[in-house]
Every structure is written in C-alpha cells, then in structure tokens.
Amino acid sequence: MTFLQRSSAKGVPPVPFETEDNNIEGVADIVLLEPVTEDAFVANLKKRYKHRRIYTYLGNVLLSVNPYCDIPIYTPEYIDRYRSRNLYELPPHIFAIADDAYRSMRDRNLDQCIIISGESGSGKTEASKLVMRYVAAVSVKGHRIDKIKSMLLQSNPLLEAFGNAKTMKNDNSSRFGKYMDIEFDFKGEPLGGIITNYLLEKSRVAVQPPGERNFHIFYQVLGGADVSHLKSLRLSRNPEKYRLLNNHDSYIADTIDDKAAFLATKAAMEAVGFRPEEVQEVLTIVAGVLKIGNVEFQPVSNIDGSEGCLLIKEYELRDLCDMFQSPDSVLQTALTTRRVEAGSEVVAIEYSATEAHSARDALCKALYSRLFTWLISKLNENIRVENHGKRKCLGVLDIYGFEVFEHNGFEQFVINYCNEKLQQLFIELTLKEEQEDYVKEGITWTHIDYFNNEAICDLVDKSHVGILSILDEECLRPGEVSDESFLERLTQKLEQHKFLETRLGRRCQNDKSLAHDCFRIQHYAGAVTYSVAGFIEKNSDLLYRDLSQAMFACNLLLLKSLFPEGNPSRVCLKRPTTAGFKFKNSMNALMKNLHMKNPSYIRCVKPNESQTASKFDDNVVRRQVKYLGLMENLRVRRSGFCFRQLHLQFLNRYKMLSSKTWPNWSGPPRKGVEALMKELRIDLVEYAVGISKVFIRNPIMLFELEEKRRLHLGQLATLLQAVYRGWRCRHAYQKLRKSQIVIAKKLATI
C-alpha cells in the first residue's frame, strides 16, 4: 500500500517519510496480507520490525512492537504531520490512532477511549504517554489550557515514581492499573481530567521476587536527594542499609537514572499543584516506610511459657517517631502488642517475633498503599474539571499486562483476571458484536469461529460460585481459616470446571506438574499455575486497629488523613471489604465505563523476552498473536466492514454531497442514504445499507467521503461569505440611497 504524501499545514515543510514498499517492508495494514496464515502474520511483523516499522494496522486496530530503543518518530514534525489526517493517509503510527480518537470526540461528539493492552514489557506505559503527549500538542493553546496540559502530562512521571518498579520482564513495569479520563469542552480544549487507579501491588513494599526492585521512589530518594535533605529524612545513600531494598543486589537498574528521576518527580509534584510542605510530608512517609522496615524483633520466652518479642534496632524506631512526631512508647506498643476486647475488659496480647514482623510488614504496606491512594486523590483535586457545562471525554487505559512468573500468587491472579475482562471486552466489541450486528441488520455474512473467554471470567467473578466469591466466604467465615482450607473449598465447588485444575480434584490427582498447594487456570493466554500461599491474608487486607490508632496519634498531619479509622472517637464495627471484592467491583465499573465509549485499540507486542533491541523471537510473538486473538480479528476484518453508522447520522454528515439530499431530505433516512450513495456512484461492493445502519467496507472510501465533505464545506463557507457580503453591500447601498434622498429633499427646499 502506498500512502498519500501531503505537505503539512501552516507552511511547515513535509517530514521526509519514506514511501512504504510492501514487498520489502511488509504490508502496513495486515488486512491486506496474503496468505491469511499465522506464519505469514508473524513473518510480516518481523519484516516490518527489521526495517524499524514498529507500527502495523489491523483494520482500525494498531499493533505496536516494542523496539526497546529510541526511534526518532515522535518529534514535533511528526506530530504536525499526523495532525488532522485520516487513518491510512500516512504510514501506521500511534499518533494516527490518537488523532482519529481526538477528532472523533471533537467533531462527532462521540466519547472515546483508547485501550492499550499487551504483556508486561510490551510498551503499554510508553504508548499511553505518547497518546497523551499527542493530544496535548494538537489541542487548542492558551495560558490556562497550557497549564492544564502540563498538569495532565506531569501526572505520568509522578505516578510512575510511586507505582512502577523494575521486574524481571520490564525495568519500568506498572504495578497498578490506571485509567485517565481527559475532559474537553465543545471546541476540543482540555478542561481537566480524573484518574482512577486499580489495585497497587503493595506486597512489593515488603518483599520482592529475586532480581526485582521495590517501587522506584525509594531508590530515587536515596540516589537523588542532596545530603542535607537525606539528613532531614534520617536516611543514608546506600540502599543496602534498608531491608526493604536489599534484595539479592537488585537495587541497581542499568536503564534507570534514579537521581534524574527524583528531580523529575519533584518537578512533577510541583507542576500538578503540590505545596512544598506537602512534598516534604510525602517524602517523610516514604522515608518512614524504610525505617519501619528496618525495625527487628527477637523472640523471648515469657514467664507463662508463651512466646513474646523484644524490639531491637531501637534507634530506627526513635528516628521514625521523630519524623512522624509521635511518642516512642505509642508506636513500640502497637508493634509488639495487640489489644483485644473481652466483654467489658480490654486485654493486651503480646506478639511473638513472627507476629510482630507480620504486623511491621502490614504497616509498611498500609502506609505506602494509602499514601499512593492519597497522591491520586490529591492529583484529581488539582486536575478535576471546575465548571459543570457540557463536556466531551477521551479516556486512556494503561493497565497491567498478562503475567506468568515462576511463582504466581494473589497479585498475578487478579492481574490476569483483569486481562481476561479486557479480552472479553475486545471480543464483544470487535468480534462478537460485529458479527451479531451484521445478522441483526440483515447483511449477508459468513460466521467466523473465535474463542470466547466468558466462561473463564465467570470462573473468577461469578456471584456465589466464582473463585473470588469462594475466597471471600473463606475469609469471612468464623473459625480457623487458611490458604489450604480455601483450596479445599475451591476444589469442592469447582472441581468439574473445564478451565480449573487442582491436585485435590480427581482429574489431576496424578499430575506431578501441579503442586498440592496450587491451582491452575486455563487462561485465554495459556495455562497459569497459582500458589494459594498468602491468598487469605492478601484478600483480607486487614490492619490491626492498634496500628491505625498509633498512626492517627502522630502529629504529622498527613498521617491523620491516611488513617481516619484510627481516631479513638470513631467507632466502626463493620468489617472492611476484601481486596478481591473491591477489585471485582472496580473492574465492573471500568467495563461499564468503556462500554459507553467508542473504543480504539493499541495491541502492544514484545518481540523477545530479553528486552533486546533488534531481536525478534518468532515463538514469543506467535504466542502473543495467538492469545490476543489477532488471527480471528483479521478474518473478521477481511470478511466485514470497517465502519458503520446510523442512517440519520450518516445522512446528516454527508447530505451536502448530493443535490437530492441537500439541504434537507424529507423521506425515510434509509432512502436518503441510498439516494446519496447512488448519486456519488459508489460501487455496491464498497458499502451495504442495513435496517438501521449503513456499512462501509474500506476505510479509504470513508477517507474519500470525508475529503469530499471538507471541500464542500469550504464551498459552502465561500457561498455564505458571498451571500453575507452581498447583503452587507446592498444594506450599505440602501442606507446611502436613503441618505441621498433626504439630502436632496433638504436642498430642494432651500
């Protein structure tokens, strides 16, 4: 396919794009691929990747292959090149998808969402930043608007610092999900936005897998703060001195400059409206988490034979209490004992060393996760839309990719559940609904089979019988509960489910590849084995009230807002909702939100497992092509239509192209569409008129319609100007003539 080459607007010279050669570089739109096989699909991506063509269309879906290096295709010249250009007018690019979504929102009043999906390490976070950067660049400018744009863009480095970490698959892996709605006025000016976050992986605060790091902000503070600032935070430069960071010497990340990143994070906090004292409080809590992590306990035997604990490294606790402005005794008591109400009496129960370490880690995780939630809440306060007029919306979803590690726990379980829901949405919007729409509209159609993952989603989240419901029941039931008892109940209720396997079930009793404390789910992306160790604790997500009260008792104001339940005057007997329940509800709310918008898809693909530039592993890519359902999507696109619209909307948009429908059509909208297309002499193969919608097969034809409409609008504008100028001249002439008559009459009487 040869793309049109046109010089950019406003006198900017054309960017020297090369014309794509399908024979050398592969087809730019994979819908044109021959033959339609998986091998040919992967080979085409590989051919393009070798020529640094990292973007490929699949209809209106963009495939993005991570280059793992900088490519100079995101400059201001490229932004200007793709501004107000239709898909297929220029080579595939993420800017083309962003521009199409932005203009559809601005010009067609259709709320948009750009859904970025793919495995961990495939480039989703960078893609989301490029989308936001493009939208900020092409929208209207002005002092107030530029300030809003800056705040929206600066939210990225801030959230990356507190929510991203180095993993085995990605040095900047998002350990939380993020959905940002950017809101615009009728002219397309950004008004503000709102960010929703999904389940921060807070267990990483206390422990990380071998070869991985804690969240970036810890290393940024140690590597980037000056000596006096570190001294005020009671910290030293060496990460090895902190238990939460000293993980198998993996505190070093070659691709990350922690010092520069710290300066960027501080600048971002200032840009989005954090006051200096708020920045200092945030960093104090970050330092406090490191201090708490260093507190140690040693077991001691009590007089009654029970095991107690003795706090060691008291200097760490003293530093912490000075920073948090708390008496030493309050926090020490909360970390070593727990109060239990027995009737009218309150009994203090001393922790064992193991229990004290668990309480310490729980406090570290609670402090950090609540700080992260507060940061997003504060960010939303500063970027939220102030006026309440009519608004348009463009959403960007950047959420965890599908994860399979050597050890997979609760976090991987909910992350992969999230990816199942996104895959279900993709199936519904691009495969299932598309085929059902053709049947409903009476369009001739040959059904194409595809894998529907609805049964897997039901396995996880169906009320009363799904895995999350069984886990909640186990967490809330009275008596002794454990990870093992959860696995037993899971097996009892779901043993016959074809997508679930446990060693306790009859089907897998002899399967030695499945450990006794694990269960396996056959995900759309492949089988994943999950260890149930920690499922009950992580789902319960409890923090003892003594620790909450100790935090609330601190005079550091931010801590009081992070732990409101610690207020002694506030009595709450209701058990907190579980982590799984909250995540399930947030996923349902997200799916509902996305269903209400017009989606654009960016499917990110990683070319290899080693994050190496220029390396393309066919097997790695083939696996992703398979589980992302790209072949099914290709077959549907080859057989179907790229665009559809209700008759009346289509007619209102393009009626000026025909003398029969302009300025008004008095008959049924369907007849008007047929008359319009007939006069335009469009081949019947290129479109179909259904019961309520018109379908366009080829996107190039849609582009041609838009181009004709643009030319006609120019002609109409010229006509309106001519009519107005004629009216103005006649009006001026009539005024002059009347004045002349009056003057002549006056002169005649003299």
Side-chain angles (χ1 to χ4, degrees):
M1 173 178 284
T2 300
F3 291 85
L4 301 178
Q5 304 294 309
R6 301 200 304 185
S7 69
S8 45
K10 300 179 182 177
V12 179
V15 182
F17 286 118
E18 298 174 9
T19 303
E20 295 203 359
D21 188 326
N22 291 343
N23 295 323
I24 297 174
E25 300 178 358
V27 294
D29 184 357
I30 221 156
V31 171
L32 305 175
L33 185 68
E34 290 291 350
V36 184
T37 65
E38 192 175 273
D39 288 341
F41 196 112
V42 174
N44 188 71
L45 290 180
K46 184 175 185 176
K47 185 184 290 187
R48 292 182 62 75
Y49 187 73
K50 293 298 182 183
H51 287 86
R52 307 188 88 186
R53 302 290 188 182
I54 64 171
Y55 296 119
T56 305
Y57 288 133
L58 200 174
N60 57 359
V61 175
L62 182 72
L63 307 182
S64 171
V65 184
N66 195 338
Y68 293 122
C69 65
D70 292 329
I71 300 179
I73 57 172
Y74 308 108
T75 60
E77 289 78 16
Y78 272 76
I79 290 174
D80 193 77
R81 185 63 153 174
Y82 280 89
R83 186 197 306 260
S84 298
R85 296 290 185 260
N86 292 287
L87 288 177
Y88 300 98
E89 193 175 349
L90 291 172
H93 201 291
I94 195 169
F95 289 165
I97 294 292
D99 186 78
D100 185 65
Y102 173 70
R103 288 190 297 115
S104 294
M105 175 214 65
R106 184 193 64 191
D107 301 339
R108 295 173 179 266
N109 291 316
L110 297 173
D111 283 350
Q112 302 288 311
C113 64
I114 297 177
I115 301 173
I116 305 169
S117 59
E119 282 191 7
S120 179
S122 60
K124 299 183 301 300
T125 299
E126 290 303 313
S128 70
K129 289 192 287 188
L130 287 169
V131 168
M132 291 179 62
R133 181 175 143 202
Y134 180 83
V135 172
V138 300
S139 52
V140 184
K141 292 178 173 55
H143 177 71
R144 182 186 65 83
I145 295 169
D146 288 343
K147 182 180 178 182
I148 293 169
K149 290 180 185 178
S150 175
M151 292 172 70
L152 291 171
L153 292 174
Q154 288 295 328
S155 67
N156 283 315
L158 174 58
L159 294 178
E160 282 185 26
F162 286 86
N164 288 25
K166 174 186 180 293
T167 68
M168 292 298 291
K169 296 189 175 183
N170 185 0
D171 283 356
N172 190 34
S173 177
S174 297
R175 308 318 300 160
F176 73 107
K178 178 183 72 174
Y179 177 73
M180 174 181 279
D181 263 333
I182 309 171
E183 297 185 320
F184 301 80
D185 66 9
F186 71 96
K187 300 189 295 294
E189 294 180 2
L191 300 172
I194 187 163
I195 298 170
T196 307
N197 66 300
Y198 300 96
L199 196 69
L200 179 76
E201 186 193 26
K202 64 181 181 181
S203 62
R204 180 171 294 272
V205 176
V207 62
Q208 308 91 45
E212 298 192 3
R213 296 207 316 176
N214 213 317
F215 291 100
H216 292 328
I217 187 62
F218 294 115
Y219 309 92
Q220 289 181 12
V221 172
L222 298 186
D226 58 40
V227 175
S228 61
H229 197 178
L230 278 178
K231 188 175 180 180
S232 71
L233 296 173
R234 313 294 177 92
L235 297 175
S236 63
R237 189 78 68 189
N238 189 357
E240 292 184 23
K241 293 188 176 182
Y242 301 98
R243 187 186 63 84
L244 299 182
L245 307 183
N246 190 8
N247 178 37
H248 308 281
D249 295 329
S250 59
Y251 47 83
I252 298 173
D254 295 333
T255 61
I256 298 173
D257 183 344
D258 291 316
K259 183 175 182 179
F262 178 70
L263 298 176
T265 299
K266 283 191 69 179
M269 294 182 78
E270 294 169 8
V272 298
F274 283 80
R275 300 190 304 274
E277 57 270 23
E278 289 176 329
V279 174
Q280 182 60 26
E281 284 190 331
V282 167
L283 296 179
T284 298
I285 291 176
V286 170
V289 172
L290 293 177
K291 287 289 184 180
I292 296 172
N294 275 3
V295 173
E296 298 284 350
F297 305 90
Q298 91 181 18
V300 295
S301 296
N302 295 325
I303 297 174
D304 61 1
S306 63
E307 183 185 327
C309 66
L310 180 66
L311 186 145
I312 55 179
K313 294 188 177 179
E314 292 185 11
Y315 61 90
E316 299 280 13
L317 188 64
R318 282 196 298 271
D319 283 349
L320 178 68
C321 291
D322 286 345
M323 292 160 58
F324 284 4
Q325 302 170 37
S326 167
D328 294 7
S329 58
V330 174
L331 195 50
Q332 181 172 343
T333 301
L335 285 168
T336 55
T337 60
R338 174 166 65 97
R339 289 176 296 171
V340 177
E341 293 183 8
S344 58
E345 295 183 359
V346 177
V347 180
I349 300 176
E350 191 173 353
Y351 287 138
S352 67
T354 301
E355 290 170 336
H357 285 131
S358 295
R360 173 204 62 195
D361 289 348
L363 180 57
C364 288
K365 291 184 286 187
L367 259 174
Y368 191 82
S369 64
R370 294 184 187 205
L371 175 64
F372 185 75
T373 301
W374 178 86
L375 282 169
I376 290 182
S377 176
K378 183 69 179 176
L379 188 56
N380 282 334
E381 282 181 22
N382 295 336
I383 65 174
R384 184 175 282 115
V385 178
E386 295 177 1
N387 62 53
H388 300 285
K390 188 175 180 181
R391 301 190 293 267
K392 306 174 184 181
C393 186
L394 191 156
V396 180
L397 178 66
D398 171 20
I399 208 159
Y400 352 73
F402 192 84
E403 291 190 346
V404 187
F405 298 128
E406 186 175 340
H407 174 85
N408 302 292
F410 180 76
E411 291 82 10
Q412 282 67 49
F413 172 68
V414 293
I415 284 172
N416 292 342
Y417 159 62
C418 167
N419 278 268
E420 288 286 356
K421 296 293 286 186
L422 288 175
Q423 179 67 6
Q424 185 182 36
L425 180 75
F426 182 72
I427 289 169
E428 288 178 357
L429 295 180
T430 63
L431 301 177
K432 183 180 177 182
E433 281 189 8
E434 180 153 348
Q435 299 198 72
E436 289 178 351
D437 207 20
Y438 295 145
V439 174
K440 186 172 67 177
E441 289 289 324
I443 304 297
T444 303
W445 175 255
T446 302
H447 181 77
I448 293 174
D449 291 327
Y450 57 88
F451 175 70
N452 191 336
N453 72 333
E454 185 177 357
I456 303 175
C457 293
D458 288 345
L459 168 65
V460 177
D461 66 9
K462 194 169 185 179
S463 298
H464 307 300
V465 294
I467 294 175
L468 287 174
S469 293
I470 295 170
L471 181 58
D472 281 353
E473 288 173 9
E474 193 66 9
C475 289
L476 300 174
R477 76 175 175 86
E480 289 292 325
V481 296
S482 65
D483 298 321
E484 292 73 22
S485 64
F486 158 64
L487 185 58
E488 288 174 8
R489 288 176 67 85
L490 184 66
T491 305
Q492 290 170 9
K493 291 196 172 186
L494 296 171
E495 181 183 358
Q496 300 303 318
H497 201 289
K498 67 178 181 178
F499 293 111
L500 178 73
E501 299 169 356
T502 75
R503 195 71 180 272
L504 302 178
R506 276 172 279 183
R507 280 189 298 142
C508 301
Q509 280 180 340
N510 300 319
D511 185 353
K512 294 183 180 179
S513 67
L514 185 60
H516 288 281
D517 64 343
C518 296
F519 64 91
R520 182 185 295 141
I521 295 179
Q522 298 291 338
H523 285 285
Y524 76 93
V528 182
T529 301
Y530 301 100
S531 169
V532 296
F535 262 60
I536 294 293
E537 177 192 346
K538 291 172 181 177
N539 189 55
S540 298
D541 199 23
L542 294 176
L543 182 71
Y544 287 126
R545 185 169 172 80
D546 302 77
L547 290 170
S548 296
Q549 290 181 339
M551 291 295 100
F552 187 84
C554 298
N555 289 322
L556 191 68
L557 292 179
L558 181 52
L559 284 172
K560 292 185 183 296
S561 63
L562 296 184
F563 294 88
E565 78 280 12
N567 188 342
S569 62
R570 179 176 173 179
V571 179
C572 181
L573 301 177
K574 185 179 178 182
R575 187 183 178 97
T577 53
T578 63
F581 180 82
K582 287 186 283 192
F583 189 73
K584 173 184 169 181
N585 285 348
S586 66
M587 280 295 101
N588 290 336
L590 175 63
M591 295 302 117
K592 183 178 179 181
N593 189 352
L594 296 179
H595 267 291
M596 295 168 63
K597 293 180 169 64
N598 188 49
S600 299
Y601 279 95
I602 299 173
R603 305 291 256 176
C604 296
V605 176
K606 62 180 181 182
N608 58 72
E609 295 285 5
S610 58
Q611 303 181 51
T612 304
S614 303
K615 180 182 177 182
F616 192 98
D617 188 322
D618 290 37
N619 292 328
V620 171
V621 174
R622 190 185 308 278
R623 185 191 72 238
Q624 295 169 83
V625 168
K626 189 172 293 183
Y627 83 67
L628 288 172
L630 298 181
M631 288 304 298
E632 290 93 334
N633 194 10
L634 172 58
R635 285 192 285 269
V636 170
R637 290 289 176 186
R638 292 268 295 201
S639 305
F641 298 85
C642 75
F643 176 81
R644 72 213 59 202
Q645 195 169 39
L646 293 172
H647 293 150
L648 186 59
Q649 292 178 359
F650 186 86
L651 188 60
N652 285 339
R653 186 163 186 82
Y654 300 111
K655 61 183 180 180
M656 74 280 296
L657 303 183
S658 169
S659 58
K660 293 181 179 178
T661 54
W662 178 259
N664 292 303
W665 173 261
S666 57
R670 176 173 179 171
K671 295 293 184 183
V673 170
E674 291 172 342
L676 171 65
M677 302 301 260
K678 186 176 180 180
E679 184 163 337
L680 290 173
R681 296 183 179 179
I682 296 175
D683 196 321
L684 288 171
V685 177
E686 294 295 329
Y687 74 96
V689 181
I691 296 171
S692 63
K693 298 175 184 175
V694 58
F695 295 81
I696 305 296
R697 187 178 298 279
N698 194 322
I700 294 177
M701 198 197 92
L702 187 64
F703 160 65
E704 290 173 352
L705 285 174
E706 283 291 315
E707 186 67 12
K708 288 179 180 178
R709 180 178 182 271
R710 186 182 69 80
L711 293 173
H712 273 73
L713 286 175
Q715 293 169 5
L716 287 172
T718 303
L719 178 61
L720 287 172
Q721 288 175 346
V723 170
Y724 170 71
R725 286 169 182 161
W727 171 84
R728 189 175 63 178
C729 289
R730 283 193 300 273
H731 186 65
Y733 169 74
Q734 288 169 354
K735 285 179 69 176
L736 287 172
R737 191 164 181 272
K738 287 179 181 178
S739 299
Q740 185 184 26
I741 292 171
V742 170
I743 293 170
K745 286 181 178 179
K746 291 287 186 183
L747 290 173
T749 59
I750 295 174

